[in-house]
Amino acid sequence: MTGEKELLGLLGPLTEWLLGSSFEGTVRCEAIVEDLGRHYGHHVEATFLADAALLTVGERTLSFSRAPGVPPLHQVTQVKQLLHRIHRGLPAAAAAERLAAIRALPPRWSRPWQVLGLVAFTVGFGISVQATWQQVGVSALTGLLIGLLVVAGGGHRRLLLIEPFVASLLVSVVVLTLDRHGVIAGGPIQLILPALFYFIPGDAISAAALELAANRMTAGAARLVYSTVVLLVLAFGALMATVVLGVPRSALFDVSVPGNLGPVGVWGGWVLFALGVMLTFSMALRDFPWALGLVLLTAAVTEVGTRALGDPAGTFLGAVVMMTVALWLGRRPGSPPAYVLYLGAFYVLTPGSHGLRGLESWIGGHPIQGVGGVADMVSLLVAIAVGMLVGAAAAARFIRTG
């Protein structure tokens, strides 16, 4: 039987790593740790909150504190493979050594590729906001600025703390300057939003809604407050840009222009977006086709549902399909983990972008439009949470019977 010391040598680092990637959900993290304890013949209790965790093995209790974020996706894939090896008989000591090696893995893509990934991420999402060549050009410029900022700030904690504000200020200054010189048509908000999409906590907002719907009130409320603060910081950056440039706040307005890219350009944008997710979040190349397929499927279901039934219903259907397919595929030995599969699809549902769009419209002196954007975010949060719960239940039933 594995000793408590050996087991803690595995479960302690695993708990810390899971806490840093707990946007997958506290319930799932607790289940992984407690299941491994049973596998090695021990009763283990694990309690996860949004940024803290307790692990009890026998008479020993360890506490952990770590800010959650998006883990390198190639590490997530490696951890899934490690868990399968453990259940096939890998000793705890060997598993702990393998986990340490996984956590020490460098990013899958070099810094220039990461910058290019953020450009693709920005342009791909920008096309979903406005399918115009103007959007492509401005998003490429602002995406490059964000890519350089994010990659330069990697590893510098103080810069990481102010990155959302600096990014919002920088992007807003660039777009408002272009608008002031008559270079762009339509409203600046649509052109500002895509470059800030990397900082919009869509995964945290969706996880918060799921946690609250599952009665995990502490974790859900903490994530929701954190997400709200990030959106407010991003909106404040846009406000400060109007001060820096000496333009009225009414320069921040939300008016779309007709699209001119056509259906091929729109769907090509989602492919570019998925490629950006791979390069930005360190996804393994062999996992990309799976993730791309789920991004396109979620976008298609959401689009069809929205056209037929409206935004909330379309988002609900997209969340159901996303969660069902991701969980079903994620439990198959040869496919990527569910988190790797649905991270990009989470962004497709974009509740946070509605909230930021609404806040910036409000700052620009359009309160009715602003309240509408925030209200849209709330309705989409509920749709995503319920859709994910329904999808999880459907996936569990399908796996048991299939």
Side-chain angles (χ1 to χ4, degrees):
M1 180 176 175
T2 302
E4 287 186 2
K5 184 177 180 180
E6 280 185 319
L7 186 58
L8 278 170
L10 169 63
L11 295 187
L14 179 62
T15 298
E16 184 179 29
W17 184 84
L18 288 171
L19 180 61
S21 58
S22 63
F23 286 144
E24 190 172 2
T26 56
V27 175
R28 174 63 178 158
C29 294
E30 291 171 1
I32 290 173
V33 174
E34 292 175 356
D35 181 59
L36 288 185
R38 286 190 295 270
H39 173 77
Y40 286 114
H42 290 266
H43 175 70
V44 172
E45 292 184 3
T47 302
F48 279 76
L49 300 176
D51 60 351
L54 291 175
L55 171 66
T56 301
V57 179
E59 296 182 355
R60 294 193 61 184
T61 298
L62 302 178
S63 63
F64 303 89
S65 179
R66 189 174 179 185
V70 178
L73 297 183
H74 69 309
Q75 291 188 16
V76 179
T77 299
Q78 295 283 338
V79 169
K80 177 190 174 181
Q81 295 171 358
L82 174 60
L83 294 177
H84 279 292
R85 290 182 61 192
I86 289 173
H87 285 289
R88 290 198 298 267
L90 186 68
E97 291 180 3
R98 177 59 187 151
L99 178 60
I102 291 173
R103 296 182 67 185
L105 288 173
R108 177 64 181 80
W109 304 100
S110 65
R111 289 191 168 194
W113 282 111
Q114 292 173 37
V115 173
L116 183 61
L118 278 163
V119 173
F121 186 87
T122 302
V123 174
F125 177 69
I127 292 173
S128 74
V129 176
Q130 282 188 141
T132 66
W133 287 110
Q134 170 184 268
Q135 185 78 63
V136 170
V138 174
S139 294
L141 172 61
T142 56
L144 177 61
L145 295 175
I146 294 302
L148 294 172
L149 174 66
V150 170
V151 172
H156 300 283
R157 179 168 177 77
R158 291 183 179 179
L159 185 55
L160 286 174
L161 294 174
I162 63 171
E163 264 185 5
F165 170 74
V166 173
S168 180
L169 176 64
L170 179 63
V171 169
S172 299
V173 165
V174 170
V175 174
L176 289 174
T177 299
L178 293 175
D179 180 62
R180 186 164 64 174
H181 289 85
V183 178
I184 60 175
I189 289 180
Q190 290 91 333
L191 299 172
I192 293 172
L193 186 63
L196 302 182
F197 195 48
Y198 172 80
F199 299 100
I200 293 175
D203 49 353
I205 293 173
S206 299
L210 180 60
E211 303 275 22
L212 291 171
N215 292 324
R216 306 293 295 224
M217 291 175 285
T218 303
R223 295 192 205 280
L224 189 59
V225 171
Y226 160 77
S227 303
T228 302
V229 170
V230 173
L231 292 177
L232 290 172
V233 168
L234 291 171
F236 182 69
L239 173 62
M240 290 305 298
T242 65
V243 175
V244 169
L245 294 176
V247 299
R249 289 187 300 170
S250 58
L252 291 169
F253 61 95
D254 187 351
V255 175
S256 299
V257 296
N260 54 22
L261 291 182
V264 174
V266 172
W267 289 103
W270 285 123
V271 175
L272 194 61
F273 170 78
L275 183 63
V277 170
M278 180 186 74
L279 297 174
T280 301
F281 298 110
S282 194
M283 183 188 296
L285 182 60
R286 63 189 180 87
D287 293 342
F288 174 70
W290 298 88
L292 172 62
L294 190 55
V295 165
L296 294 177
L297 177 62
T298 303
V301 171
T302 304
E303 177 69 17
V304 171
T306 298
R307 287 178 179 271
L309 303 170
D311 266 347
T315 301
F316 167 77
L317 293 174
V320 170
V321 171
M322 175 195 73
M323 184 59 80
T324 303
V325 174
L327 290 179
W328 176 63
L329 289 175
R331 296 182 190 183
R332 297 168 64 91
S335 61
Y339 186 79
V340 174
L341 290 169
Y342 65 59
L343 177 64
F346 257 143
Y347 283 108
V348 171
L349 301 176
T350 61
S353 64
H354 286 269
L356 180 58
R357 196 167 180 171
L359 288 172
E360 291 191 348
S361 293
W362 201 332
I363 288 172
H366 310 283
I368 296 177
Q369 195 172 14
V371 170
V374 175
D376 286 344
M377 182 188 75
V378 173
S379 67
L380 294 186
L381 277 176
V382 176
I384 291 170
V386 177
M388 290 174 64
L389 289 173
V390 171
R397 180 177 179 83
F398 182 81
I399 291 168
R400 287 198 302 269
T401 59

